[in-house]
Amino acid sequence: MQRKTLVKLAFLTAFGLAGCGGGNVGSQLATNQQLREQVMGAIASNPNLAVVMEQKLLANDSLRTKVVDTLLQDSNASQYVLYRIATNQDAVDIVLRAAVADSAMRRHVLAVMKGVEMAEAAKK
């Protein structure tokens, strides 16, 4: 079934790009919900296509902002991303450098670290 959908998508895209599909692909996707669902379903079900689409979305500053904001609004996705950051030393370093660049956040980070130090000292 997936292969059939990909073949159909390729066929529709080829005709759209050739001008035989009644307009450009972008306007067809914007107006034809069935085609949009087929295209997005094909992308979502194919890891290689999904990565290519992700790279295209993240390469554009305004789209990157929307993608990240949408991701952070989803509790499961945001928890996963934050866990991945928290378990990656380089990512934690980036977060801390960004946080301490702001004076109010720097005070907060220092207060949290003092709390961690006090908790560690109490364990000993």
Side-chain angles (χ1 to χ4, degrees), residues 53-122:
M53 179 56 70
E54 177 184 321
Q55 290 168 340
K56 288 192 177 293
L57 293 171
L58 295 175
N60 176 302
D61 288 342
S62 64
L63 288 177
R64 182 183 318 113
T65 299
K66 289 179 183 181
V67 168
V68 171
D69 288 346
T70 300
L71 179 112
L72 292 175
Q73 290 172 3
D74 180 286
S75 65
N76 289 334
S78 62
Q79 285 178 19
Y80 178 74
V81 169
L82 293 172
Y83 173 79
R84 293 296 303 258
I85 290 170
T87 58
N88 179 309
Q89 187 172 347
D90 292 334
V92 170
D93 290 345
I94 291 168
V95 170
L96 289 174
R97 276 195 300 273
V100 299
D102 174 67
S103 59
M105 189 58 74
R106 183 178 325 118
R107 286 190 293 276
H108 177 70
V109 169
L110 289 174
V112 169
M113 294 310 299
K114 284 180 185 176
V116 169
E117 285 177 346
M118 290 170 41
E120 286 296 314

